[in-house]
Amino acid sequence: MTGHVFTIAGGKGGVGKTTTAVNVGVAMEDAGYDVVIVDADLGMANLAAMLGIDHDTSLHEVLAEQAAVSDTLTEGPGGVTLVPGEQSLEAFADADPAKLRKVIKTLANAYDIVLIDTGAGLSHEATVPLGLADSVLLVTTPDSVAIGDAGKTAQLARRVDGEVIGAILTRAEEQSEIDEVEREVDHPLLAVIPEDSEATTDEPLVLNYPDSDAAHAYRRLSTALERVLKGEAVETIVEEETEWFPSAESEETTEDEDDESSGGVLGLFGG
């Protein structure tokens, strides 16, 4: 039996795809699964750099037929395995995205879970991982452009026979943002990750800031994905999963305090 391939996608850059891949990967490794994370952002690879991990061989070299998949395997935080990418333009030019299929098949035969971190945009190299996935996860921030791009990514996934199982909203600060994503993205909302100023560095959050609201949200997402592995239906978030939203009472209190300072309600989350 081969492992399950999750592709983490979203048309806009900077929405948190890599952060999601890392935190979900570490959480699922902690739950007992053997996890590998592949940095398939061929144009702007940043997985290893974000984690401060050195590596000898990259995915780009495999796609250029200059190395074997086994040469790229790098130990990551929390016991996960990484397949890092290369950041140079020369490596990008030499890498053939079509060869990613063989790489993912090889990894799926060796690991329980393969998480593919994709690049931004709707280019060929960003499209290939959508068709390789057993399950596609859309990541978006509350930004209207990001939401629109997530929708376009879902449409593109359908064209290459990718199955989108749900969306993840990152940097959320209020209920209205959830409502907009649920209206605009025609897929279950699996997780809402709060903006958390105290847990924005030293990834992964689930290891370095385990008590933060963001870490708890990523662990709930990982639990939801475990249901997918068991063949169960995915479930949308429930009200208890966004209990970190400021209540109406706390908003009123903060607004009163704002008369004397410039914090505002967004100050609760470092916005």
Side-chain angles (χ1 to χ4, degrees):
M1 181 176 178
T2 59
H4 196 98
V5 179
F6 291 99
T7 290
I8 300 175
K12 192 174 186 298
V15 296
K17 294 186 292 292
T18 303
T19 296
T20 297
V22 169
N23 283 280
V24 167
V26 171
M28 299 194 85
E29 184 81 29
D30 188 53
Y33 297 95
D34 201 7
V35 180
V36 59
I37 306 173
V38 182
D39 190 347
D41 185 350
L42 300 185
M44 300 287 286
N46 69 340
L47 175 63
M50 186 182 79
L51 295 173
I53 292 176
D54 295 325
H55 59 92
D56 296 323
T57 309
S58 71
L59 173 65
H60 289 68
E61 293 170 87
V62 178
L63 300 182
E65 298 186 327
Q66 298 170 354
V69 178
S70 58
D71 297 331
T72 69
L73 303 180
T74 304
E75 183 178 355
V80 300
T81 301
L82 308 178
V83 175
E86 179 61 58
Q87 295 184 326
S88 73
L89 289 176
E90 292 81 4
F92 172 69
D94 293 338
D96 181 1
K99 293 183 170 58
L100 188 61
R101 179 176 297 276
K102 183 178 180 180
V103 172
I104 299 305
K105 183 177 180 180
T106 299
L107 294 171
N109 285 327
Y111 292 86
D112 299 324
I113 296 171
V114 180
L115 293 172
I116 307 178
D117 178 25
T118 63
L122 303 178
S123 62
H124 175 57
E125 59 267 18
T127 302
V128 170
L130 299 175
L132 300 180
D134 298 304
S135 303
V136 176
L137 300 169
L138 302 174
V139 181
T140 182
T141 64
D143 177 75
S144 59
V145 174
I147 295 172
D149 285 351
K152 293 176 184 176
T153 301
Q155 295 174 26
L156 187 59
R158 287 194 290 271
R159 293 190 177 189
V160 295
D161 297 324
E163 181 181 358
V164 178
I165 62 169
I168 300 160
L169 173 61
T170 63
R171 300 175 191 164
E173 296 181 309
E174 56 187 58
Q175 181 63 42
S176 62
E177 296 169 344
I178 293 179
D179 297 338
E180 182 178 2
V181 172
E182 290 181 325
R183 282 195 307 269
E184 300 297 329
V185 180
D186 189 24
H187 293 282
L189 185 56
L190 303 183
V192 176
I193 315 298
E195 182 70 62
D196 195 334
S197 62
E198 294 183 356
T200 55
T201 58
D202 298 328
E203 292 288 352
L205 305 180
V206 294
L207 287 182
N208 297 318
Y209 298 91
D211 296 326
S212 67
D213 292 325
H216 287 306
Y218 280 122
R219 289 198 178 277
R220 283 194 295 267
L221 171 58
S222 300
T223 299
L225 297 184
E226 285 191 66
R227 292 196 289 269
V228 175
L229 300 178
K230 298 174 183 177
E232 302 174 4
V234 294
E235 298 179 3
T236 189
I237 62 164
V238 295
E239 184 177 349
E240 288 78 8
E241 293 174 344
T242 56
E243 59 189 8
W244 38 264
F245 278 141
S247 65
E249 180 179 350
S250 66
E251 288 186 21
E252 182 177 349
T253 300
T254 307
E255 288 173 359
D256 290 340
E257 293 174 350
D258 195 40
D259 291 339
E260 299 178 3
S261 67
S262 58
V265 66
L266 298 184
L268 292 172
F269 300 104

